[in-house]
Each structure stands twice: as structure tokens, then as C-alpha cells.
Amino acid sequence: MAPLAIPAAVLTQAQQVADDFTAHTGVTVDAAELLTGRAALLDLAPRGQISAGGATRLLAGRDGWCALTLSRADDIAAVPALLQADTMAADPWPAIREWVATQTVADVAERARLLGLPAAVLGETAPAPPVVRPLGPAGAGSLTGLLVADLSSMWAGPLCGQLLARAGATVVKVESRDRPDGTRAGAAEFFDWMNAGKLSYATDFDQPGDLAALLDVADVVIEASRPAALTRRGLGPDTRTVRPGRIWLRITGHGTDGEAADWVAFGDDAAASGGLIEYRDGAPVFIGDAIADPVTGLHAAAAVAASRAGGGGELIEFSMAAVAAGYAALPGAAIDAEVVPVRPAVAQAGPALAADNAAVRRLIAERFSAPC
């Protein structure tokens, strides 16, 4: 198992956030495990300008560095349009690297984003706290027994849901029947780590039905899609029935303002956007494993726990790039350090798709018949 380069300042700050979560919930959290657990489970490590997972590259443009992620079939299919080429080699990266070298990094990111590709200019994002605004009346209490509707996928949102489940919440993992969480198609160990102990509810987001009802009775909603995707279906935070103390957590790649609201992001390119990388021999290299994902998921869980203790009734928005930028700005964040990955103990499998649809419908009915 290869060690991961993660500055001590980053681990220290992450553990402080984990300790805040513990203070509100009594659940002990090891930040090093959260940041390195996937690498330990799957034996991953970054290779300089290639991310640990292998889908993201740091690329040199005419005037700086940028990052591009090709993790989905649609991403690969968009490469000919990106390069304005008729054909594409089995390995597209040499041609991409050659093209990027002739462009400004701003032009690369703009063109990639127009095609829906996850891209970033190195260090383009400044640190920023989460955006918090009132959503409804307060309703104080612990996390134990709360109903959480987790509409997120991949890592940051599911990690937040996993930590809330450890704190005693009932977490419903909501997925599209046609396009379930992409991690189901990957390594089972990682999916199980993120989703064990959750209920699985599968639905059609275009015909939400019971999903709308679930959101109405949920105490916490976690979502990580582009904001307009839910709003246009009547499933956004301002369109559902008000519930006292409800906390609506939104995780995005680059925030919800302007054109950035439509930018797709994954953990490694979001980290690059925030400047959370290292330099070796004058060139940037990746640190950790998709590090913007676990740090954002950890911050999100701590924010939900703190909000609940204060009465909730809030919309909380995290930008992964902004969280990464906050870590990059820490004193000592550029100092190289190696961490041996911590292998998580995964005691049970994650739920099969739609395994708990009937149980979730019963939960909804019970909630509708009970006072808030």
C-alpha cells in the first residue's frame, strides 16, 4: 500500500472538523481514515500529474496549468468535440496534452465546460465559507432518529450521509432507476463503505411521486446535483412543504452563482481549482485521493450536526472547490508529508438498488400521520 502525500496541516484541520462533529454527536471520527480510506481499500495512489483514481490529469497550457477529468463514458465521447477532431485514439490523453499546450488554460476550461466536462484552472477558486440562509422555522434536537433523504452520489454527499447514519439518523439513499450512483458499477468495497446502513430507494426523478413526499417529511436533505435539475422538477428546497428544523444540504463543484452553477466537478479537478496540490521541481502534482470529496463530505456532516443543535431550518451550500481552497490556504499546506492510508472496517454491504422501496413508503406514511 503506497503512502499518500497529504500535508500535516491538511490532516490537522480535517481532524479538527471531525472533532467538531464528535462534540455534537458523540461519534468518534478519524479524519485520516476518511481522507485515505478509498486509497487503502483499492490500493490507489496519485502518480504525479495523474490522479490516484486515474481519471484526472494536470495539464500544462500556454500560460499555466489546468485539470481535466474523463471519468464517464460521456466524457470520453466528448473528446473529439473538445479537440475539434474527427477521430480519437484509444488513449486520448497524448492528443489532449498536445492540444492543451497550444491554448490558454482559461480557454481550455471554458471549452471543456461548454461540453459538460469536469475541468478547472489551477488555483482559480478562492477560499469561502458555506453559504447559509434561512429555510424555515427552527426545530432543535439530536441527529438520532432523524430522517435523511440522501439524493447525492459518488463520495462527498454519501460520506456526509454515512456520518449522519453513524450518529443515529435513518438515511435513505435515493437514486434514479435509470442512472443509479456510479459507484455501484465500481469497486464494491468503496460503495459498501459509503452506503452500508442506509436504505435504498429507487425512483424516476421525472415522475417523482413518492420522492416529493419523502422530501416533505425528511428532516435533512442532501443533494449534489446542479441546483436547476431539482428545481425544475419541483423538488428544490423552496418548492417543498416547510418542515420545522429541516436542513437542506447542497454540495456543488463550484457554487450556485452564475455560470459556475452549471460546471461539473469531481474531487480531483475541484481540488486543483482550489489550488490544493503540491509542487515538485516547479510542476504541480496531485495530493491525496480526490481529496476535495472527503474533506467536503466531512465539513458537510459537521455543518449539519451544528445546524441541528442550533435548531436547523437552514439551507447550507458547500462548494467543493472553495473547501479545497480553504485547505490550500492553510499555513504549511504546501509542505510535503506522507501518510500511510488507513483501511476502513466495512462490516456490511451497501443496500441493493430499490431494496427498501416498500419500507421507505411506510416511513413516509408514518411521518405524514404523525405531528412534526
Side-chain angles (χ1 to χ4, degrees), residues 9-11 13-14 17 35 124-131 156-157 159 249-255 265-277 287 290-303 316-330 333:
V10 170
L11 274 179
Q13 176 64 25
V17 177
L35 270 60
E124 67 186 338
T125 300
V131 176
L159 172 58
L249 176 72
R250 175 177 286 158
I251 297 174
T252 67
H254 298 274
F266 288 91
D268 287 302
D269 53 85
S273 180
L276 188 53
I277 48 85
I287 67 169
I291 195 166
D293 267 311
V295 293
T296 302
L298 173 59
H299 276 255
I316 306 172
E317 296 180 340
F318 278 93
S319 154
M320 291 201 301
V323 173
Y327 276 85
L330 292 172

Short mmCIF file of all heavy atoms in Angstrom, two decimals, residues 9-11 13-14 17 35 124-131 156-157 159 249-255 265-277 287 290-303 316-330 333:
data_model
loop_
_atom_site.label_atom_id
_atom_site.label_comp_id
_atom_site.label_asym_id
_atom_site.label_seq_id
_atom_site.Cartn_x
_atom_site.Cartn_y
_atom_site.Cartn_z
N ALA A 9 -0.74 19.84 7.83
CA ALA A 9 -1.69 20.91 8.14
C ALA A 9 -3.09 20.57 7.66
O ALA A 9 -4.09 20.92 8.30
CB ALA A 9 -1.23 22.22 7.50
N VAL A 10 -3.18 19.87 6.53
CA VAL A 10 -4.48 19.47 6.00
C VAL A 10 -5.12 18.42 6.91
O VAL A 10 -6.30 18.51 7.25
CB VAL A 10 -4.32 18.94 4.56
CG1 VAL A 10 -5.61 18.29 4.07
CG2 VAL A 10 -3.90 20.07 3.62
N LEU A 11 -4.34 17.44 7.31
CA LEU A 11 -4.87 16.41 8.21
C LEU A 11 -5.28 16.99 9.56
O LEU A 11 -6.31 16.61 10.12
CB LEU A 11 -3.83 15.31 8.41
CG LEU A 11 -3.79 14.18 7.39
CD1 LEU A 11 -2.69 13.20 7.72
CD2 LEU A 11 -5.13 13.46 7.33
N GLN A 13 -6.29 20.07 10.23
CA GLN A 13 -7.53 20.83 10.09
C GLN A 13 -8.73 19.90 9.91
O GLN A 13 -9.80 20.12 10.51
CB GLN A 13 -7.43 21.77 8.88
CG GLN A 13 -8.69 22.56 8.57
CD GLN A 13 -9.07 23.53 9.68
OE1 GLN A 13 -8.21 23.96 10.45
NE2 GLN A 13 -10.35 23.87 9.78
N ALA A 14 -8.56 18.86 9.11
CA ALA A 14 -9.66 17.91 8.91
C ALA A 14 -10.03 17.24 10.23
O ALA A 14 -11.22 17.00 10.50
CB ALA A 14 -9.28 16.88 7.86
N VAL A 17 -12.25 19.44 12.32
CA VAL A 17 -13.64 19.39 11.86
C VAL A 17 -14.29 18.10 12.33
O VAL A 17 -15.45 18.09 12.77
CB VAL A 17 -13.71 19.52 10.32
CG1 VAL A 17 -15.15 19.40 9.84
CG2 VAL A 17 -13.11 20.84 9.87
N LEU A 35 -9.95 10.50 4.67
CA LEU A 35 -9.19 11.05 3.54
C LEU A 35 -8.42 9.99 2.78
O LEU A 35 -8.12 10.17 1.60
CB LEU A 35 -8.23 12.13 4.04
CG LEU A 35 -8.77 13.57 4.05
CD1 LEU A 35 -9.98 13.69 4.96
CD2 LEU A 35 -7.68 14.56 4.49
N GLU A 124 -7.89 28.68 -9.37
CA GLU A 124 -8.84 29.73 -9.78
C GLU A 124 -9.83 30.11 -8.69
O GLU A 124 -10.44 31.18 -8.73
CB GLU A 124 -9.64 29.26 -11.01
CG GLU A 124 -10.56 28.09 -10.72
CD GLU A 124 -11.25 27.52 -11.94
OE1 GLU A 124 -11.36 28.24 -12.95
OE2 GLU A 124 -11.66 26.35 -11.89
N THR A 125 -10.02 29.23 -7.70
CA THR A 125 -11.07 29.43 -6.69
C THR A 125 -10.47 29.92 -5.38
O THR A 125 -9.47 29.38 -4.91
CB THR A 125 -11.84 28.13 -6.45
OG1 THR A 125 -12.45 27.71 -7.67
CG2 THR A 125 -12.93 28.32 -5.40
N ALA A 126 -11.10 30.93 -4.80
CA ALA A 126 -10.67 31.46 -3.50
C ALA A 126 -11.40 30.74 -2.37
O ALA A 126 -12.50 30.22 -2.56
CB ALA A 126 -10.97 32.96 -3.43
N PRO A 127 -10.80 30.71 -1.18
CA PRO A 127 -11.49 30.11 -0.03
C PRO A 127 -12.79 30.85 0.25
O PRO A 127 -12.87 32.08 0.10
CB PRO A 127 -10.49 30.28 1.12
CG PRO A 127 -9.16 30.51 0.47
CD PRO A 127 -9.45 31.21 -0.82
N ALA A 128 -13.81 30.14 0.67
CA ALA A 128 -15.08 30.75 1.03
C ALA A 128 -15.83 29.82 1.96
O ALA A 128 -15.80 28.60 1.78
CB ALA A 128 -15.93 31.03 -0.22
N PRO A 129 -16.50 30.37 2.97
CA PRO A 129 -17.30 29.53 3.87
C PRO A 129 -18.55 29.06 3.15
O PRO A 129 -18.91 29.58 2.08
CB PRO A 129 -17.64 30.48 5.02
CG PRO A 129 -17.68 31.83 4.36
CD PRO A 129 -16.59 31.80 3.31
N PRO A 130 -19.25 28.10 3.71
CA PRO A 130 -20.51 27.68 3.10
C PRO A 130 -21.52 28.82 3.12
O PRO A 130 -21.49 29.68 4.00
CB PRO A 130 -20.97 26.51 3.98
CG PRO A 130 -20.28 26.72 5.28
CD PRO A 130 -18.95 27.33 4.95
N VAL A 131 -22.39 28.82 2.14
CA VAL A 131 -23.47 29.80 2.09
C VAL A 131 -24.64 29.24 2.90
O VAL A 131 -25.08 28.12 2.66
CB VAL A 131 -23.90 30.07 0.64
CG1 VAL A 131 -25.09 31.02 0.60
CG2 VAL A 131 -22.73 30.64 -0.16
N ALA A 156 -18.63 12.80 -1.78
CA ALA A 156 -18.80 13.85 -0.77
C ALA A 156 -20.16 13.74 -0.06
O ALA A 156 -20.24 13.68 1.17
CB ALA A 156 -18.62 15.23 -1.39
N GLY A 157 -21.24 13.74 -0.84
CA GLY A 157 -22.57 13.64 -0.24
C GLY A 157 -22.81 12.33 0.47
O GLY A 157 -23.29 12.31 1.61
N LEU A 159 -20.66 10.40 1.84
CA LEU A 159 -19.89 10.39 3.08
C LEU A 159 -20.62 11.16 4.17
O LEU A 159 -20.70 10.71 5.32
CB LEU A 159 -18.50 10.98 2.86
CG LEU A 159 -17.66 11.19 4.12
CD1 LEU A 159 -17.46 9.88 4.88
CD2 LEU A 159 -16.32 11.82 3.78
N LEU A 249 -29.04 20.40 2.65
CA LEU A 249 -27.60 20.49 2.37
C LEU A 249 -27.37 20.33 0.88
O LEU A 249 -27.77 19.33 0.29
CB LEU A 249 -26.85 19.41 3.14
CG LEU A 249 -25.34 19.35 2.85
CD1 LEU A 249 -24.63 20.54 3.48
CD2 LEU A 249 -24.75 18.04 3.34
N ARG A 250 -26.70 21.29 0.30
CA ARG A 250 -26.42 21.26 -1.14
C ARG A 250 -24.90 21.29 -1.34
O ARG A 250 -24.22 22.20 -0.88
CB ARG A 250 -27.07 22.46 -1.83
CG ARG A 250 -26.76 22.60 -3.31
CD ARG A 250 -27.53 23.77 -3.89
NE ARG A 250 -28.95 23.45 -4.05
CZ ARG A 250 -29.91 24.37 -4.14
NH1 ARG A 250 -29.61 25.64 -4.04
NH2 ARG A 250 -31.17 23.98 -4.32
N ILE A 251 -24.40 20.29 -2.04
CA ILE A 251 -22.97 20.21 -2.36
C ILE A 251 -22.81 20.38 -3.86
O ILE A 251 -23.41 19.64 -4.65
CB ILE A 251 -22.36 18.88 -1.91
CG1 ILE A 251 -22.46 18.73 -0.38
CG2 ILE A 251 -20.89 18.77 -2.35
CD1 ILE A 251 -22.00 17.38 0.14
N THR A 252 -22.02 21.37 -4.26
CA THR A 252 -21.75 21.60 -5.68
C THR A 252 -20.25 21.61 -5.92
O THR A 252 -19.46 21.65 -4.98
CB THR A 252 -22.33 22.95 -6.14
OG1 THR A 252 -21.62 24.02 -5.48
CG2 THR A 252 -23.81 23.06 -5.83
N GLY A 253 -19.88 21.60 -7.19
CA GLY A 253 -18.47 21.68 -7.51
C GLY A 253 -17.92 23.08 -7.34
O GLY A 253 -16.84 23.28 -6.80
N HIS A 254 -18.70 24.08 -7.80
CA HIS A 254 -18.19 25.45 -7.85
C HIS A 254 -19.20 26.48 -7.37
O HIS A 254 -19.09 27.66 -7.75
CB HIS A 254 -17.78 25.77 -9.30
CG HIS A 254 -16.67 24.89 -9.82
ND1 HIS A 254 -15.34 25.16 -9.62
CD2 HIS A 254 -16.71 23.73 -10.52
CE1 HIS A 254 -14.60 24.22 -10.20
NE2 HIS A 254 -15.41 23.34 -10.74
N GLY A 255 -20.16 26.10 -6.57
CA GLY A 255 -21.12 27.06 -6.07
C GLY A 255 -22.36 27.14 -6.94
O GLY A 255 -22.51 26.41 -7.91
N ALA A 265 -18.03 18.91 -11.57
CA ALA A 265 -16.75 18.74 -10.87
C ALA A 265 -16.68 17.38 -10.20
O ALA A 265 -17.69 16.84 -9.75
CB ALA A 265 -16.55 19.84 -9.82
N PHE A 266 -15.48 16.84 -10.13
CA PHE A 266 -15.16 15.67 -9.33
C PHE A 266 -14.04 16.07 -8.36
O PHE A 266 -13.49 17.17 -8.44
CB PHE A 266 -14.75 14.50 -10.21
CG PHE A 266 -15.89 13.90 -10.99
CD1 PHE A 266 -16.21 14.35 -12.26
CD2 PHE A 266 -16.66 12.89 -10.43
CE1 PHE A 266 -17.28 13.81 -12.96
CE2 PHE A 266 -17.74 12.33 -11.13
CZ PHE A 266 -18.04 12.80 -12.39
N GLY A 267 -13.72 15.17 -7.45
CA GLY A 267 -12.84 15.53 -6.36
C GLY A 267 -11.47 16.05 -6.76
O GLY A 267 -10.95 17.00 -6.17
N ASP A 268 -10.86 15.45 -7.79
CA ASP A 268 -9.51 15.86 -8.15
C ASP A 268 -9.47 17.19 -8.89
O ASP A 268 -8.60 18.03 -8.64
CB ASP A 268 -8.84 14.76 -8.98
CG ASP A 268 -8.45 13.55 -8.13
OD1 ASP A 268 -7.68 13.74 -7.17
OD2 ASP A 268 -8.92 12.45 -8.42
N ASP A 269 -10.41 17.40 -9.83
CA ASP A 269 -10.39 18.69 -10.53
C ASP A 269 -10.86 19.81 -9.60
O ASP A 269 -10.39 20.95 -9.71
CB ASP A 269 -11.19 18.64 -11.83
CG ASP A 269 -12.61 18.14 -11.65
OD1 ASP A 269 -13.48 18.95 -11.31
OD2 ASP A 269 -12.84 16.94 -11.85
N ALA A 270 -11.78 19.52 -8.67
CA ALA A 270 -12.18 20.53 -7.69
C ALA A 270 -11.01 20.91 -6.79
O ALA A 270 -10.82 22.08 -6.44
CB ALA A 270 -13.35 20.02 -6.85
N ALA A 271 -10.20 19.92 -6.40
CA ALA A 271 -9.01 20.21 -5.60
C ALA A 271 -8.05 21.10 -6.38
O ALA A 271 -7.47 22.05 -5.83
CB ALA A 271 -8.32 18.91 -5.19
N ALA A 272 -7.87 20.82 -7.66
CA ALA A 272 -7.00 21.66 -8.49
C ALA A 272 -7.54 23.07 -8.60
O ALA A 272 -6.80 24.06 -8.53
CB ALA A 272 -6.84 21.04 -9.88
N SER A 273 -8.85 23.21 -8.76
CA SER A 273 -9.47 24.53 -8.83
C SER A 273 -9.17 25.33 -7.57
O SER A 273 -8.91 26.53 -7.63
CB SER A 273 -10.98 24.39 -9.02
OG SER A 273 -11.60 25.65 -9.09
N GLY A 274 -9.20 24.66 -6.42
CA GLY A 274 -8.90 25.33 -5.16
C GLY A 274 -7.42 25.46 -4.85
O GLY A 274 -7.06 26.03 -3.83
N GLY A 275 -6.57 24.92 -5.73
CA GLY A 275 -5.13 25.00 -5.50
C GLY A 275 -4.59 24.02 -4.48
O GLY A 275 -3.47 24.18 -4.00
N LEU A 276 -5.39 23.00 -4.15
CA LEU A 276 -4.95 22.02 -3.15
C LEU A 276 -4.12 20.93 -3.84
O LEU A 276 -4.57 19.81 -4.09
CB LEU A 276 -6.15 21.42 -2.42
CG LEU A 276 -5.84 20.52 -1.22
CD1 LEU A 276 -4.95 21.23 -0.22
CD2 LEU A 276 -7.14 20.05 -0.56
N ILE A 277 -2.90 21.31 -4.19
CA ILE A 277 -1.94 20.43 -4.86
C ILE A 277 -0.56 20.72 -4.26
O ILE A 277 -0.42 21.58 -3.39
CB ILE A 277 -1.93 20.65 -6.40
CG1 ILE A 277 -1.84 22.13 -6.74
CG2 ILE A 277 -3.22 20.10 -7.00
CD1 ILE A 277 -0.50 22.72 -6.79
N ILE A 287 -2.21 15.64 -4.65
CA ILE A 287 -2.04 15.10 -3.30
C ILE A 287 -3.28 14.29 -2.94
O ILE A 287 -4.38 14.55 -3.44
CB ILE A 287 -1.80 16.20 -2.25
CG1 ILE A 287 -3.04 17.08 -2.08
CG2 ILE A 287 -0.58 17.03 -2.61
CD1 ILE A 287 -2.96 18.01 -0.88
N ALA A 290 -8.59 12.26 -4.65
CA ALA A 290 -9.82 13.05 -4.84
C ALA A 290 -10.16 13.83 -3.59
O ALA A 290 -11.31 13.87 -3.14
CB ALA A 290 -10.98 12.13 -5.25
N ILE A 291 -9.16 14.50 -3.04
CA ILE A 291 -9.23 14.99 -1.66
C ILE A 291 -10.34 15.99 -1.41
O ILE A 291 -10.85 16.11 -0.29
CB ILE A 291 -7.86 15.56 -1.25
CG1 ILE A 291 -7.78 15.75 0.27
CG2 ILE A 291 -7.54 16.85 -2.02
CD1 ILE A 291 -6.38 15.98 0.77
N ALA A 292 -10.79 16.71 -2.44
CA ALA A 292 -11.90 17.65 -2.23
C ALA A 292 -13.18 16.94 -1.84
O ALA A 292 -14.04 17.52 -1.17
CB ALA A 292 -12.12 18.50 -3.48
N ASP A 293 -13.34 15.69 -2.27
CA ASP A 293 -14.53 14.93 -1.91
C ASP A 293 -14.61 14.64 -0.41
O ASP A 293 -15.59 15.04 0.24
CB ASP A 293 -14.57 13.62 -2.70
CG ASP A 293 -15.36 13.74 -4.00
OD1 ASP A 293 -16.48 14.25 -3.97
OD2 ASP A 293 -14.83 13.31 -5.03
N PRO A 294 -13.65 13.93 0.18
CA PRO A 294 -13.82 13.60 1.59
C PRO A 294 -13.79 14.81 2.52
O PRO A 294 -14.51 14.81 3.53
CB PRO A 294 -12.66 12.63 1.87
CG PRO A 294 -11.66 12.90 0.79
CD PRO A 294 -12.45 13.28 -0.40
N VAL A 295 -12.97 15.83 2.21
CA VAL A 295 -12.97 16.98 3.12
C VAL A 295 -14.31 17.71 3.06
O VAL A 295 -14.84 18.17 4.08
CB VAL A 295 -11.80 17.95 2.85
CG1 VAL A 295 -10.47 17.27 3.19
CG2 VAL A 295 -11.80 18.51 1.45
N THR A 296 -14.91 17.79 1.87
CA THR A 296 -16.22 18.44 1.77
C THR A 296 -17.29 17.62 2.48
O THR A 296 -18.14 18.18 3.19
CB THR A 296 -16.61 18.67 0.31
OG1 THR A 296 -15.60 19.46 -0.34
CG2 THR A 296 -17.94 19.39 0.20
N GLY A 297 -17.28 16.31 2.30
CA GLY A 297 -18.25 15.47 2.99
C GLY A 297 -18.14 15.58 4.49
O GLY A 297 -19.16 15.62 5.21
N LEU A 298 -16.91 15.67 4.99
CA LEU A 298 -16.69 15.81 6.43
C LEU A 298 -17.21 17.16 6.92
O LEU A 298 -17.93 17.24 7.93
CB LEU A 298 -15.20 15.68 6.72
CG LEU A 298 -14.74 15.96 8.16
CD1 LEU A 298 -15.44 15.02 9.14
CD2 LEU A 298 -13.22 15.82 8.27
N HIS A 299 -16.87 18.24 6.21
CA HIS A 299 -17.36 19.56 6.59
C HIS A 299 -18.88 19.61 6.56
O HIS A 299 -19.51 20.23 7.42
CB HIS A 299 -16.78 20.63 5.65
CG HIS A 299 -15.43 21.10 6.02
ND1 HIS A 299 -15.18 22.32 6.62
CD2 HIS A 299 -14.22 20.50 5.91
CE1 HIS A 299 -13.88 22.46 6.83
NE2 HIS A 299 -13.28 21.37 6.40
N ALA A 300 -19.47 18.97 5.56
CA ALA A 300 -20.92 18.99 5.42
C ALA A 300 -21.59 18.31 6.61
O ALA A 300 -22.58 18.81 7.16
CB ALA A 300 -21.32 18.31 4.12
N ALA A 301 -21.07 17.16 7.03
CA ALA A 301 -21.65 16.45 8.16
C ALA A 301 -21.53 17.27 9.44
O ALA A 301 -22.47 17.33 10.24
CB ALA A 301 -20.96 15.09 8.34
N ALA A 302 -20.38 17.90 9.64
CA ALA A 302 -20.20 18.74 10.82
C ALA A 302 -21.15 19.93 10.80
O ALA A 302 -21.70 20.33 11.84
CB ALA A 302 -18.75 19.21 10.91
N ALA A 303 -21.37 20.49 9.60
CA ALA A 303 -22.28 21.63 9.49
C ALA A 303 -23.72 21.22 9.79
O ALA A 303 -24.47 21.96 10.44
CB ALA A 303 -22.19 22.23 8.09
N ILE A 316 -27.86 24.99 3.50
CA ILE A 316 -26.40 25.10 3.62
C ILE A 316 -25.79 24.64 2.31
O ILE A 316 -26.03 23.51 1.87
CB ILE A 316 -25.87 24.23 4.78
CG1 ILE A 316 -26.61 24.56 6.09
CG2 ILE A 316 -24.37 24.43 4.94
CD1 ILE A 316 -26.27 23.63 7.24
N GLU A 317 -25.00 25.49 1.69
CA GLU A 317 -24.40 25.19 0.40
C GLU A 317 -22.88 25.15 0.50
O GLU A 317 -22.26 26.12 0.92
CB GLU A 317 -24.80 26.23 -0.65
CG GLU A 317 -26.29 26.26 -0.95
CD GLU A 317 -26.65 27.29 -1.99
OE1 GLU A 317 -25.84 28.23 -2.22
OE2 GLU A 317 -27.73 27.17 -2.59
N PHE A 318 -22.30 24.02 0.10
CA PHE A 318 -20.85 23.87 0.07
C PHE A 318 -20.38 23.77 -1.37
O PHE A 318 -20.94 23.01 -2.17
CB PHE A 318 -20.42 22.60 0.80
CG PHE A 318 -20.32 22.73 2.29
CD1 PHE A 318 -21.39 22.40 3.10
CD2 PHE A 318 -19.15 23.19 2.89
CE1 PHE A 318 -21.31 22.52 4.47
CE2 PHE A 318 -19.06 23.31 4.26
CZ PHE A 318 -20.13 22.98 5.06
N SER A 319 -19.33 24.49 -1.71
CA SER A 319 -18.61 24.33 -2.97
C SER A 319 -17.35 23.51 -2.69
O SER A 319 -16.54 23.88 -1.84
CB SER A 319 -18.22 25.70 -3.54
OG SER A 319 -17.08 25.62 -4.36
N MET A 320 -17.19 22.39 -3.39
CA MET A 320 -16.00 21.56 -3.17
C MET A 320 -14.73 22.33 -3.48
O MET A 320 -13.72 22.20 -2.77
CB MET A 320 -16.06 20.30 -4.02
CG MET A 320 -17.12 19.31 -3.59
SD MET A 320 -16.79 17.62 -4.19
CE MET A 320 -16.74 17.86 -5.95
N ALA A 321 -14.74 23.14 -4.54
CA ALA A 321 -13.54 23.90 -4.90
C ALA A 321 -13.20 24.92 -3.81
O ALA A 321 -12.02 25.12 -3.49
CB ALA A 321 -13.75 24.60 -6.24
N ALA A 322 -14.22 25.56 -3.23
CA ALA A 322 -13.97 26.54 -2.19
C ALA A 322 -13.46 25.88 -0.90
O ALA A 322 -12.60 26.43 -0.20
CB ALA A 322 -15.24 27.34 -1.90
N VAL A 323 -13.99 24.70 -0.58
CA VAL A 323 -13.48 23.96 0.58
C VAL A 323 -12.01 23.61 0.36
O VAL A 323 -11.16 23.79 1.25
CB VAL A 323 -14.31 22.70 0.85
CG1 VAL A 323 -13.66 21.85 1.95
CG2 VAL A 323 -15.73 23.06 1.26
N ALA A 324 -11.69 23.11 -0.83
CA ALA A 324 -10.30 22.78 -1.14
C ALA A 324 -9.41 24.01 -1.04
O ALA A 324 -8.28 23.94 -0.53
CB ALA A 324 -10.21 22.18 -2.54
N ALA A 325 -9.91 25.15 -1.52
CA ALA A 325 -9.12 26.39 -1.47
C ALA A 325 -8.83 26.79 -0.03
O ALA A 325 -7.75 27.32 0.28
CB ALA A 325 -9.86 27.51 -2.19
N GLY A 326 -9.80 26.55 0.87
CA GLY A 326 -9.57 26.85 2.28
C GLY A 326 -8.43 26.03 2.85
O GLY A 326 -7.61 26.52 3.63
N TYR A 327 -8.34 24.77 2.45
CA TYR A 327 -7.24 23.93 2.91
C TYR A 327 -5.92 24.36 2.26
O TYR A 327 -4.86 24.33 2.90
CB TYR A 327 -7.54 22.46 2.60
CG TYR A 327 -8.40 21.80 3.64
CD1 TYR A 327 -9.79 21.91 3.59
CD2 TYR A 327 -7.84 21.10 4.70
CE1 TYR A 327 -10.59 21.32 4.56
CE2 TYR A 327 -8.63 20.51 5.67
CZ TYR A 327 -10.01 20.63 5.60
OH TYR A 327 -10.80 20.06 6.57
N ALA A 328 -5.98 24.74 1.00
CA ALA A 328 -4.75 25.17 0.32
C ALA A 328 -4.18 26.42 0.96
O ALA A 328 -2.96 26.66 0.90
CB ALA A 328 -5.05 25.42 -1.16
N ALA A 329 -5.04 27.25 1.58
CA ALA A 329 -4.59 28.50 2.19
C ALA A 329 -4.03 28.31 3.60
O ALA A 329 -3.52 29.27 4.19
CB ALA A 329 -5.75 29.50 2.22
N LEU A 330 -4.11 27.10 4.14
CA LEU A 330 -3.59 26.87 5.49
C LEU A 330 -2.07 27.07 5.53
O LEU A 330 -1.36 26.66 4.61
CB LEU A 330 -3.90 25.44 5.93
CG LEU A 330 -5.36 25.08 6.19
CD1 LEU A 330 -5.48 23.58 6.42
CD2 LEU A 330 -5.89 25.86 7.39
N ALA A 333 0.37 24.25 4.26
CA ALA A 333 -0.35 23.34 3.36
C ALA A 333 0.50 22.91 2.17
O ALA A 333 0.17 21.92 1.51
CB ALA A 333 -1.63 24.00 2.87
#
